[in-house]
Amino acid sequence: MSSAFPEIYLVRHGETEWSRSGRHTGHSDIPLTAVGEAAARKLAERLSGPSFSAIWSSPSARARKTCALAGFGSGAVIRDDLAEWDYGAYEGITTKEILAKRPGWQLFRDGCPNGETAADVGARADAVIQALRQVAGSILIFSSSHFLRVLAARWLGLPPEGGAHFVLDTASISVLGYEHDLTEPVVRRWNQR
């Protein structure tokens, strides 16, 4: 399913030890596992069809390594606003561990102590969207799950908390785009593995 309009390809980084175990990984630079590296290499073939006017990556080592292994590292621009959610006090902790101390907690509703709220991440996503709309052509983005989920919500005009309704696997590809014209943003494909 191709489009006459620009498309934004979103790639979540490959597997890390922390993504596999469910630990919140914001600023910690956890390397890709062997499985994550293999999946990142396979992205090269999966992304070989479209041509991209720009390639952007989160500053995290896991996103940059995924980008490089997929064959796009030399052309990538590192953008700080593509960084994963700042989990503050919850960095490196699983949801199960957080819920044991704070029953009912939800990341997208409650945010993180000493970290970001959904509104904070949404403001960064809005800046990325504004920049996306200035580029003529399709764009390839490498980043992390929670940030990309908020980006998708904001692309659709949903509040940042709407990112809770999207799930992303490691090394997945999703595509944002338009339907009838540039005033109708849509999700064209989601979480393809």
Side-chain angles (χ1 to χ4, degrees), residues 91-168:
E91 180 78 8
I93 301 175
T94 66
T95 298
K96 182 178 179 181
E97 292 169 322
I98 296 166
L99 290 172
K101 295 179 180 177
R102 191 173 169 190
W105 174 80
Q106 293 178 8
L107 173 65
F108 287 89
R109 183 191 64 210
D110 303 322
C112 301
N114 303 315
E116 289 182 302
T117 64
D120 296 330
V121 180
R124 288 194 289 115
D126 288 346
V128 169
I129 290 168
Q130 185 176 32
L132 287 170
R133 293 200 168 124
Q134 302 304 311
V135 176
S138 295
I139 301 172
L140 177 60
I141 294 175
F142 292 84
S143 189
S144 299
S145 178
H146 287 133
F147 177 79
L148 291 174
R149 291 166 65 179
V150 172
L151 180 66
R154 295 303 300 139
W155 179 260
L156 297 174
L158 300 172
E161 295 82 1
H165 302 292
F166 299 93
V167 173
L168 281 175

Side-chain angles (χ1 to χ4, degrees), residues 10-186:
L10 308 177
V11 178
R12 183 182 176 197
H13 63 77
E15 177 191 87
T16 68
E17 286 292 334
W18 281 18
S19 66
R20 183 172 58 210
S21 64
R23 296 188 177 282
H24 288 89
T25 316
H27 296 298
S28 298
D29 256 337
I30 308 302
L32 299 179
T33 63
V35 168
E37 288 185 2
R41 284 185 195 94
K42 289 179 183 174
L43 287 166
E45 182 180 329
R46 295 171 55 207
L47 293 166
S48 64
S51 76
F52 299 104
S53 296
I55 300 152
W56 297 347
S57 177
S58 159
S60 75
R62 60 194 178 273
R64 288 184 289 118
K65 180 77 169 190
T66 300
C67 178
L69 291 173
F72 296 95
S74 64
V77 173
I78 306 305
R79 291 185 56 110
D80 290 341
D81 49 8
L82 293 172
E84 178 60 301
W85 198 305
D86 179 350
Y87 299 115
Y90 293 158
E91 180 78 8
I93 301 175
T94 66
T95 298
K96 182 178 179 181
E97 292 169 322
I98 296 166
L99 290 172
K101 295 179 180 177
R102 191 173 169 190
W105 174 80
Q106 293 178 8
L107 173 65
F108 287 89
R109 183 191 64 210
D110 303 322
C112 301
N114 303 315
E116 289 182 302
T117 64
D120 296 330
V121 180
R124 288 194 289 115
D126 288 346
V128 169
I129 290 168
Q130 185 176 32
L132 287 170
R133 293 200 168 124
Q134 302 304 311
V135 176
S138 295
I139 301 172
L140 177 60
I141 294 175
F142 292 84
S143 189
S144 299
S145 178
H146 287 133
F147 177 79
L148 291 174
R149 291 166 65 179
V150 172
L151 180 66
R154 295 303 300 139
W155 179 260
L156 297 174
L158 300 172
E161 295 82 1
H165 302 292
F166 299 93
V167 173
L168 281 175
D169 295 321
T170 55
S172 62
I173 300 172
S174 301
V175 182
L176 305 177
Y178 301 93
E179 190 167 13
H180 299 108
D181 60 42
L182 297 179
T183 67
E184 294 183 24
V186 297

